[in-house]
Amino acid sequence: MLRATLKSLLSRKLRLVLSGFAIILGVMFVASAFVLTDSLGGRFEQLFQTINKDVAVQVQVADAAGDDPDRPLLTDADLERLAAVDGVRAVIGDASSEGLTPFRKENGKALPPGAPHLAVGLGEDDFVADSLLRVVEGRTAQTGSEVTLTRYTAEQTGHQIGDRIKIYVPRSATSSEWTVVGLLEYSGGRATLGGETMIGFTVPEAQRLFYGRTGVFGGAQLQADSGVSHETLKERVGTAVPTGFEAVTGEEAAEQQAAPLKQLLTFVNWFFLGFALIALLVGMFLIFNTFNIIIAQRSRELALLRALGASWGQVTGSVLVEAVVVGLIASTLGLAAGIGVAVGLQALIAAFGFPLPEGGLTVSGLAIGVSYLVGVVMTVIAALIPAVRAAGVPPIAAMRDVVRPDKSLCGLTITGGVVTLISALLLTVGLVGVDGLTAIALGVGVLLAVVGVALLSPALTRPVAGTLGRLVTWGTATGIGRRNTLRNPRRTAVTAAALMVGVTLVSAVSVIGASLKASVTDLVENNLSAAVIVTTALVTPPSGREGFDPARLEQASQIPGVTRTVSMHAAVVTVGGQANSFIQATDLPTAQAMFALEDRSGTLTPTGENDAIVDDGTAETNGWRVGSTFVVDMPVGGARTYTVAGIYQRTPVASGVLVSDSQVRYFAGPLALQGFVQVSDGADISAVTRQIETLMSDYPLVSVVDQATFIGQQTAAVDGLLAIFYVLLALAILVAFLGIVNTLVLSIYERTRELGLLRAVGMNRRQVRRMVRVESLLMAVFGCLLGVGLGVALGVTVTEVLRNAEAITMVALPYGQLIAFVVAAALAGVVAAWWPAWRASRLNVLDAISYE
């Protein structure tokens, strides 16, 4: 039986390729997700291990004090006490910081944010034998007016030895110039470790820039005597570590440094796996349909096996063996393709200006195991029902042609209706917003909606596809094509359902994206009276140490045409015991007018220093009323108590806790995060924008734009996110169109004799091709219409949920995109029919008539 199964499989290589392609794409997603994240993780782990290779124990600021602007520092006396610990061979003080951004020589503009901008104080101990850094040109900095650059930094800024380089220093919020006296590289001749820039100062100059005084360090690296383990030294050093610091081994330090990156890579991994699941789900439709058609074609063969003594289990097993073989081959090819995609993505990252640390490709056993498991299991599950049907072929069918009528669609339609009704109820729960159930109800409701409509699609085939067929058919050939599409509603529905899944997701995302863009435009145009906006590009949550000096914005008020300016300071703090809360400080009377804040209760222009105004959502969540008090753990000065003086209506432009700008002294730094500028009617906004850009030229993270550009920036972010979804979902849709090709090709084999008879009675080759094209067109447009209808419904539902949560203000439908989806599906349906139509038209008439 096994030999017969394998011979049958090898005799139909075409169906093997077509049915396996969907699994290849799905496994490719899975494999690329694991290989990419494992490879990137391995590269950065190796990087941090290299950085800490000579560190036995690192003394660093404890986590609790890590974000405190007045964080503890190590003194020279502290280093001497650490050096006196038994087993310590050497102590190197660490004076380093992030955010010191160099400016380009050519145009005077700062390097963009992204990769870290590092700075460090370098002494003689940093250039001993086998050290991480070495001077390759020039010399080390010896005075406070000199700096050294890594080769990569010099390449990015265009500076050479002898040039004056401008550098932004976050602590003082100023930019100054230093003379470049030397170039550095890392061990192994590397210009960079991971795309970072690095500037080397003298140790005293670094201390002055980073900490405001000399003789102090942010941490220290300890080297161990021979024979002393890192753990042992850590225990000994623990008793000598000053308050506010902790001791960790070099290995633990490397793991801590790699932890944030691992979290990011975990997100990337799950993101790719989500699209892998979609591709595999679409692929299951293709596999299911393929095996259904194959079983129909082999009904006499399978029945003959039953007549010769094959058991029910043997027939079922033979089909499942085919599925396993297809799954294994497809998984192998998918794994290879996934490895190739991972290599390509790493090269793409480097090509976009983000050099990666050195390292090879990591293909873990988990990646291989999951790829094969997913590919084989999904294939077997998709083939299970056809396998059971194969075993149900009665032996008598082997002796003569037996027409097995299609099963009634009644049970399937009822099941689909029930599932769809349940999904509607769950979506209603998510829409109403039942506490604790919104996200779960919404997620399960969306999934059941797709399943429900897929189950209903056979019942919708004749009314929907039949109506479409009347619109696109003319003459005998196209009329036969329409009837062929409706002949087997289950097969047509399964083929269309594969396309429906991808189009549903694309349509839903398009509706959400269009609504977000329309909301942003509406909010900015109707709720923000500022004509010019100053924004800060953040790579971390706001702390008060990023942005610009608000005095620069006050200077902007002297520009002709400017009528009013206001700065906005922000920080992430703990409010009323809730961590990661957002607090903003601004001039409240000006902000009320600038943001058109609507007063719900109390006053929005309080005079008390400890008064605050909060949005209605925050007030409701915390049970606050006018007169309520709450405690904020401020970055400077500790806990402070504020009184709710007023409650305003929340908008995405203004939300959360707002306090007077007098409270900025309790933030981590004096810099403003955003600025807003009103101008008089008739003022030259472009000229005002250019003059403010000049005022802000020293701040590398700050951009100055007019309102239209600001809207474009916000909507461009949405477009970028949508583009990622479209590209990834396009692969799932590609699988669906392969399903149409697969169905048509196998259907042509099934109808070989019928096609021969049509040719014999006068149908020419052009008419045959036209007939097949109509079948393909109807399947593609039918599936697309189902997807667009369901996607719009789901997209509107999700948007309404976001609207209730005040994360969005309006629902917008992208009519142009939705129409384009249908047109694209129609064109793709015609293209998908090209090869099957050509094969059908080239059949030999006599051979086709005698085909069994």
Side-chain angles (χ1 to χ4, degrees):
M1 192 67 187
L2 177 61
R3 189 180 301 112
T5 300
L6 295 178
K7 285 185 177 180
S8 173
L9 184 63
L10 294 175
S11 67
R12 297 175 174 86
K13 299 180 182 66
L14 178 63
R15 78 177 184 221
L16 177 68
V17 173
L18 291 174
S19 59
F21 196 80
I23 301 300
I24 292 173
L25 287 180
V27 173
M28 181 188 73
F29 270 119
V30 174
S32 62
F34 280 102
V35 174
L36 177 64
T37 54
D38 288 345
S39 298
L40 291 178
R43 286 173 179 264
F44 281 97
E45 282 183 9
Q46 183 177 340
L47 166 65
F48 295 125
Q49 289 170 2
T50 300
I51 294 174
N52 295 279
K53 67 175 183 177
D54 296 324
V55 178
V57 172
Q58 179 164 304
V59 177
Q60 61 189 25
V61 176
D63 291 340
D67 293 327
D68 190 341
D70 297 323
R71 67 180 190 174
L73 296 169
L74 294 175
T75 64
D76 290 329
D78 292 326
L79 296 189
E80 291 176 2
R81 282 193 296 271
L82 292 172
V85 174
D86 183 29
V88 173
R89 178 167 59 87
V91 176
I92 302 174
D94 174 29
S96 60
S97 182
E98 290 189 37
L100 277 83
T101 308
F103 288 70
R104 289 190 173 99
K105 178 181 178 180
E106 180 181 3
N107 56 19
K109 293 186 177 181
L111 294 181
H117 297 305
L118 307 178
V120 62
L122 297 175
E124 294 181 0
D125 292 338
D126 295 293
F127 296 100
V128 297
D130 297 328
S131 63
L132 183 62
L133 283 169
R134 68 186 185 93
V135 179
V136 292
E137 188 176 344
R139 59 178 175 82
T140 60
Q142 297 175 357
T143 68
S145 62
E146 298 176 342
V147 295
T148 53
L149 307 177
T150 57
R151 284 196 295 110
Y152 179 76
T153 306
E155 292 168 3
Q156 294 298 303
T157 60
H159 285 90
Q160 299 176 349
I161 292 177
D163 291 339
R164 297 282 287 174
I165 183 171
K166 183 179 178 181
I167 302 170
Y168 171 74
V169 182
R171 189 179 189 281
S172 60
T174 58
S175 298
S176 301
E177 292 188 350
W178 285 263
T179 300
V180 179
V181 297
L183 299 181
L184 308 172
E185 70 176 19
Y186 298 96
S187 60
R190 292 170 290 180
T192 178
L193 292 176
E196 81 294 337
T197 63
M198 198 185 79
I199 303 164
F201 298 90
T202 63
V203 173
E205 179 71 357
Q207 292 169 334
R208 182 185 69 81
L209 294 174
F210 308 159
Y211 313 125
R213 56 194 173 100
T214 59
V216 292
F217 299 89
Q221 288 86 42
L222 281 63
Q223 298 174 356
D225 285 330
S226 178
V228 179
S229 70
H230 294 183
E231 286 292 340
T232 300
L233 188 61
K234 172 186 171 182
E235 294 177 3
R236 296 176 182 176
V237 170
T239 59
V241 170
T243 303
F245 285 87
E246 62 181 359
V248 297
T249 64
E251 294 79 4
E252 290 172 341
E255 290 178 1
Q256 291 176 2
Q257 293 162 0
L261 179 69
K262 288 183 177 180
Q263 291 180 352
L264 175 61
L265 293 178
T266 299
F267 170 78
V268 172
N269 191 39
W270 283 107
F271 184 78
F272 272 88
L273 289 178
F275 285 97
L277 179 62
I278 295 170
L280 287 168
L281 178 62
V282 174
M284 287 183 69
F285 283 101
L286 196 159
I287 297 291
F288 175 82
N289 211 26
T290 299
F291 275 88
N292 260 335
I293 297 173
I294 290 172
I295 296 307
Q297 294 175 351
R298 296 177 57 202
S299 59
R300 296 187 66 182
E301 173 189 334
L302 296 173
L304 182 60
L305 291 173
R306 291 291 310 278
L308 293 174
S311 67
W312 179 91
Q314 286 178 309
V315 173
T316 303
S318 70
V319 177
L320 293 180
V321 166
E322 290 192 31
V324 170
V325 173
V326 170
L328 287 173
I329 295 175
S331 297
T332 302
L333 296 176
L335 176 61
I339 294 173
V341 168
V343 173
L345 288 175
Q346 291 186 81
L348 191 63
I349 292 172
F352 275 97
F354 298 98
L356 294 174
E358 291 184 345
L361 195 68
T362 303
V363 183
S364 65
L366 179 63
I368 297 174
V370 171
S371 297
Y372 276 103
L373 180 65
V374 168
V376 174
V377 169
M378 297 293 271
T379 307
V380 170
I381 291 175
L384 184 59
I385 294 178
V388 173
R389 288 180 179 173
V393 176
I396 192 65
M399 312 305 172
R400 56 189 175 88
D401 289 329
V402 176
V403 178
R404 304 184 68 196
D406 288 340
K407 293 183 179 179
S408 172
L409 297 177
C410 182
L412 192 63
T413 303
I414 293 175
T415 303
V418 171
V419 173
T420 304
L421 179 61
I422 294 173
S423 73
L425 294 175
L426 289 172
L427 291 174
T428 302
V429 171
L431 192 60
V432 172
V434 179
D435 290 342
L437 295 177
T438 299
I440 296 176
L442 201 61
V444 177
V446 168
L447 179 61
L448 290 182
V450 174
V451 174
V453 173
L455 293 174
L456 286 173
S457 57
L460 298 173
T461 300
R462 286 194 171 96
V464 177
T467 303
L468 288 172
R470 292 186 179 90
L471 298 176
V472 298
T473 56
W474 67 96
T476 303
T478 55
I480 294 175
R482 178 177 67 84
R483 288 191 292 272
N484 285 337
T485 305
L486 305 179
R487 178 192 299 181
N488 192 329
R490 291 175 185 268
R491 180 180 300 176
T492 300
V494 171
T495 305
L499 177 60
M500 179 199 74
V501 173
V503 174
T504 295
L505 294 173
V506 171
S507 300
V509 169
S510 297
V511 171
I512 297 171
S515 300
L516 282 170
K517 293 168 64 175
S519 298
V520 168
T521 302
D522 176 68
L523 286 167
V524 174
E525 291 180 345
N526 297 323
N527 294 278
L528 183 63
S529 59
V532 180
I533 299 99
V534 182
T535 61
T536 303
L538 292 178
V539 293
T540 59
S543 63
R545 296 190 292 270
E546 308 90 352
F548 58 91
D549 185 349
R552 299 289 180 95
L553 199 61
E554 293 177 6
Q555 295 175 27
S557 62
Q558 305 303 315
I559 297 174
V562 174
T563 59
R564 180 184 295 168
T565 65
V566 64
S567 300
M568 186 74 74
H569 304 256
V572 176
V573 295
T574 299
V575 177
Q578 296 182 2
N580 299 318
S581 298
F582 202 58
I583 186 171
Q584 299 177 89
T586 187
D587 180 78
L588 294 177
T590 305
Q592 181 187 15
M594 188 79 74
F595 304 141
L597 298 182
E598 184 176 337
D599 192 349
R600 289 296 193 190
S601 62
T603 177
L604 301 186
T605 57
T607 57
E609 185 178 85
N610 292 328
D611 287 341
I613 63 175
V614 299
D615 69 85
D616 46 7
T618 301
E620 182 180 355
T621 300
N622 293 279
W624 294 341
R625 299 179 181 179
V626 173
S628 298
T629 60
F630 58 92
V631 177
V632 179
D633 292 329
M634 300 296 281
V636 176
R640 292 190 59 81
T641 301
Y642 291 92
T643 302
V644 178
I647 298 175
Y648 63 92
Q649 182 178 1
R650 178 181 182 180
T651 71
V653 176
S655 61
V657 178
L658 297 180
V659 296
S660 169
D661 51 6
S662 65
Q663 302 301 293
V664 171
R665 64 181 183 272
Y666 301 113
F667 281 37
L671 301 185
L673 189 69
Q674 291 178 301
F676 304 91
V677 180
Q678 282 184 340
V679 300
S680 58
D681 294 338
D684 187 343
I685 297 177
S686 298
V688 171
T689 302
R690 288 194 298 270
Q691 293 181 68
I692 298 177
E693 281 182 332
T694 302
L695 290 174
M696 299 294 175
S697 61
D698 286 340
Y699 302 100
L701 299 180
V702 173
S703 63
V704 182
V705 296
D706 58 28
Q707 193 178 92
T709 304
F710 179 73
I711 293 173
Q713 288 177 343
Q714 306 306 306
T715 56
V718 177
D719 289 334
L721 183 62
L722 291 177
I724 295 174
F725 276 90
Y726 289 158
V727 170
L728 294 174
L729 290 172
L731 294 177
I733 296 175
L734 172 62
V735 175
F737 279 110
L738 289 173
I740 294 176
V741 175
N742 195 23
T743 298
L744 290 174
V745 170
L746 295 176
S747 178
I748 287 168
Y749 276 112
E750 187 179 45
R751 292 154 44 200
T752 298
R753 189 172 185 180
E754 174 187 322
L755 290 170
L757 291 173
L758 288 173
R759 290 293 313 283
V761 297
M763 180 176 284
N764 59 38
R765 289 179 175 178
R766 177 177 296 178
Q767 288 176 313
V768 171
R769 291 194 293 269
R770 189 182 303 157
M771 176 186 69
V772 177
R773 288 196 198 101
V774 166
E775 293 182 47
S776 179
L777 174 67
L778 291 180
M779 282 189 284
V781 175
F782 174 49
C784 186
L785 287 177
L786 288 180
V788 167
L790 182 58
V792 168
L794 296 178
V796 169
T797 301
V798 173
T799 303
E800 286 292 345
V801 172
L802 295 174
R803 190 175 182 181
N804 292 340
E806 300 183 1
I808 200 168
T809 62
M810 60 192 303
V811 177
L813 296 181
Y815 294 104
Q817 286 179 292
L818 298 177
I819 293 173
F821 293 159
V822 178
V823 173
L827 293 176
V830 173
V831 172
W834 179 84
W835 183 43
W838 181 84
R839 289 183 63 88
S841 66
R842 306 302 295 181
L843 289 174
N844 183 282
V845 177
L846 295 179
D847 290 342
I849 293 175
S850 61
Y851 180 81
E852 289 291 340

